[in-house]
Amino acid sequence: MKLLRKICLILAGGTLLFSSSCLEDKIRTIDPVTGDKSGVNAWIYDMMNDAYFWYDQMPAKNKTDNDLAPKDYFEKLVYQRQTRDRFSMLTDDINALQQQFNGITKTFGLHNVFAYIDGGKSNVAAFVSHVAKGSPADAAGLKRGDIITKVNGTQLTKDNYAQLIGGQETIRVNLGTVNGNVITTDDSRAISLTKAVVTEDPVAYAGVIPRKNVRLGYLVYTQFVPGTDSDKERYDNELRAVFAGFKTAGVNELVLDLRLNGGGFMSSAVTLASLIVSNNSSGKVFYEEQWNDKYIKYWREKNGADALTYKFKQEKDNIGSRLNRVFVLTSQGTASASELIINGLKPYMQVITIGDHTAGKNLFGSLVGDEKKRWNYGLYMMLGQTTNADGQSDYGTVNGITASRQVEDFSIPYKPFGDETETLLNAAVREIGIAPSANARLGTAMNVKPVSSGAVRDTSGAWDQLMIRDLQPR
């Protein structure tokens, strides 16, 4: 089994590193793009023929064109790219990608929704939906609800916005304000931003909304990352601390905001789900994995009949004894490990989703590199799919999980997280049956037409829609 017997990878605690015992000293590194492409292609084929979920749908090796560039060769092996495997990828810089998998990116720290601001659908604005804590944007004072209309003095349009926001190391942005149904730009002030390496804390907001007979816990969680290189469980422990606070406050309703969460490590999904699930016990199944036939046999021979069954953990700050339902805020960017939470909780409690349909990723994969370090290519391939305790996994399409209550999230300017009049939280509050506080004020707002669905990070977005399996033994 090439994936596990020949590749020595450490994924524990959210860190992906090559084990030094796997590397041969002083091995010649071949240029990742112009080097030994036939060797790279052979490696791609062998790895996929071993562990790829759809290996039996691949063409025979002698029927492939080994003269193709590696990325083109890889695409010829992907199974039904538009409908089934929309997620496997090949990178020529595994080190950069593994950093992104660990939540470490060079970024301004902005999550933006790009939408048209004129009737001709030409001019565009970046509506800031989230600013990562500790990022350059955070240090510059930008916040959720801000509106970016110009970059380096140039008006954003449908043709230039992606390059202007994401394609440069340093930018100057002008902010706009809403006046009725018109957005005007303040040309007198520009804010300079320079990308920096940011380790994003996935807990963007946590708080309790108290009402008579109701204590509503609200958590905005942006990615499934257990910790950092220096503290392997830092973020999982932060989740535990949040739920300890919820437990102390007597929380008996929960809104889990995953609208910005494109996925991450399945181990952190286990942690979060175990803090939520009703009447938790060590015997309850959270999810099961379906690999290709070779690996199903391998895992069961190695670890027994339940090798691919993953159960909830015992978490002392679980609040499930007070919950019989959970509200999840979703968007088309809600993917993979986020969808695993929704699907895995359904057999045990009512899961009410509010917002848009999810991305539709029930597949998991791992990032692997060449054990001999001959090149810098990395292969993130789909190893299998997950099902819940009832055997359900019916959301692996472009339509994802349909929202229980469909609510458009394009009313701008965006309200701060925790504001009870914020569009999706307000919908959840009303679904629970409690009115916003008397101090809440709706204020002025306008609806916009998005250029593309969901919020977009100012990085390459490599994290989005990834569900990463830890290859280490349980």
Side-chain angles (χ1 to χ4, degrees):
M1 313 295 283
K2 291 181 175 64
L3 181 66
L4 299 180
R5 293 179 181 174
K6 292 186 178 180
I7 301 297
C8 295
L9 292 172
I10 301 172
L11 278 155
T15 303
L16 180 71
L17 299 171
F18 288 106
S19 169
S20 59
S21 64
C22 290
L23 304 181
E24 300 175 15
D25 292 336
K26 300 180 181 178
I27 289 180
R28 176 173 59 95
T29 300
I30 298 176
D31 184 272
V33 177
T34 62
D36 180 16
K37 66 181 178 182
S38 63
V40 174
N41 290 344
W43 169 77
I44 292 169
Y45 190 96
D46 289 346
M47 294 302 299
M48 293 182 69
N49 190 50
D50 176 62
Y52 189 47
F53 191 40
W54 297 282
Y55 81 95
D56 54 354
Q57 300 297 318
M58 289 166 48
K61 192 173 187 178
N62 62 6
K63 300 292 185 182
T64 63
D65 184 356
N66 213 36
D67 290 329
L68 290 173
K71 288 189 177 181
D72 294 331
Y73 183 87
F74 165 74
E75 286 297 328
K76 296 291 186 181
L77 304 181
V78 173
Y79 178 66
Q80 295 185 11
R81 171 59 93 186
Q82 299 302 316
T83 56
R84 295 293 287 136
D85 185 3
R86 296 171 281 139
F87 308 103
S88 291
M89 70 170 72
L90 181 73
T91 177
D92 57 22
D93 190 348
I94 188 173
N95 296 319
L97 187 57
Q98 73 181 37
Q99 287 291 85
Q100 292 189 35
F101 278 17
N102 291 327
I104 303 170
T105 54
K106 194 171 185 182
T107 175
F108 301 125
L110 294 170
H111 296 237
N112 303 301
V113 171
F114 294 98
Y116 298 107
I117 58 173
D118 64 348
K121 293 185 178 179
S122 176
N123 291 338
V124 167
F127 297 92
V128 179
S129 57
H130 175 54
V131 175
K133 288 184 282 188
S135 67
D138 185 31
L142 290 173
K143 61 188 183 302
R144 175 177 163 86
D146 282 337
I147 303 169
I148 297 172
T149 57
K150 291 183 178 180
V151 174
N152 298 334
T154 301
Q155 170 68 50
L156 297 178
T157 70
K158 63 182 180 181
D159 299 317
N160 69 17
Y161 76 89
Q163 176 63 26
L164 286 176
I165 288 285
Q168 304 178 73
E169 291 291 302
T170 298
I171 59 176
R172 297 186 327 279
V173 301
N174 291 96
L175 302 184
T177 57
V178 178
N179 296 295
N181 288 322
V182 178
I183 294 174
T184 59
T185 302
D186 181 0
D187 287 320
S188 67
R189 187 170 69 98
I191 298 173
S192 293
L193 300 173
T194 299
K195 285 186 177 180
V197 175
V198 175
T199 303
E200 184 174 347
D201 186 335
V203 177
Y205 180 91
V208 176
I209 299 173
R211 289 289 187 280
K212 184 179 181 180
N213 300 323
V214 174
R215 295 292 184 273
L216 171 60
Y218 176 55
L219 171 65
V220 183
Y221 190 63
T222 62
Q223 56 185 352
F224 289 83
V225 184
T228 64
D229 286 344
S230 59
D231 186 348
K232 307 300 185 186
E233 291 192 77
R234 174 180 173 181
Y235 299 135
D236 275 3
N237 286 336
E238 185 178 359
L239 272 181
R240 294 180 176 109
V242 167
F243 278 82
F246 286 170
K247 191 172 185 178
T248 299
V251 164
N252 55 7
E253 294 280 10
L254 178 65
V255 175
L256 179 61
D257 193 335
L258 299 179
R259 78 183 91 174
L260 299 175
N261 196 314
F265 287 90
M266 298 165 78
S267 60
S268 288
V270 174
T271 299
L272 179 57
S274 299
L275 289 162
I276 296 172
V277 64
S278 293
N279 303 311
N280 191 15
S281 69
S282 57
K284 284 188 173 181
V285 174
F286 177 32
Y287 70 91
E288 296 185 355
E289 294 179 350
Q290 298 174 339
W291 293 60
N292 70 36
D293 55 351
K294 293 181 289 187
Y295 270 88
I296 288 176
K297 180 181 179 183
Y298 171 83
W299 282 118
R300 288 179 175 167
E301 287 178 350
K302 180 178 175 63
N303 293 331
D306 292 333
L308 300 179
T309 299
Y310 288 78
K311 299 177 180 179
F312 294 97
K313 297 188 298 185
Q314 291 300 301
E315 293 284 350
K316 65 182 180 62
D317 293 310
N318 167 279
I319 62 171
S321 61
R322 297 195 186 103
L323 301 177
N324 57 24
R325 62 184 181 179
V326 59
F327 295 83
V328 184
L329 308 186
T330 60
S331 73
Q332 292 185 36
T334 302
S336 57
S338 291
E339 294 169 301
L340 180 65
I341 291 282
I342 296 168
N343 196 50
L345 289 175
K346 279 183 175 179
Y348 307 104
M349 59 200 305
Q350 186 181 14
V351 181
I352 302 164
T353 52
I354 296 174
D356 205 344
H357 71 79
T358 63
K361 185 172 188 290
N362 58 357
L363 301 166
F364 60 89
S366 287
L367 177 64
V368 295
D370 175 43
E371 63 176 334
K372 296 179 181 179
K373 208 178 180 182
R374 292 167 292 181
W375 41 72
N376 293 329
Y377 281 97
L379 181 62
Y380 175 66
M381 63 176 161
M382 297 302 98
L383 304 176
Q385 68 181 23
T386 61
T387 65
N388 65 17
D390 292 335
Q392 296 171 334
S393 185
D394 57 358
Y395 59 91
T397 71
V398 293
N399 297 318
I401 298 170
T402 302
S404 308
R405 181 178 173 189
Q406 296 183 28
V407 179
E408 288 192 345
D409 190 19
F410 302 120
S411 179
I412 57 90
Y414 288 118
K415 303 287 183 66
F417 290 129
D419 185 324
E420 295 168 52
T421 65
E422 187 278 318
T423 303
L424 295 193
L425 177 59
N426 182 258
V429 165
R430 294 186 180 279
E431 195 77 16
I432 290 168
I434 57 177
S437 110
N439 295 324
R441 295 289 182 268
L442 290 175
T444 60
M446 64 179 286
N447 291 322
V448 293
K449 176 69 174 177
V451 178
S452 59
S453 59
V456 179
R457 300 187 189 194
D458 60 48
T459 63
S460 62
W463 182 265
D464 293 340
Q465 302 184 351
L466 305 185
M467 185 156 59
I468 307 169
R469 188 192 193 275
D470 187 336
L471 290 181
Q472 289 297 299
R474 291 187 291 176

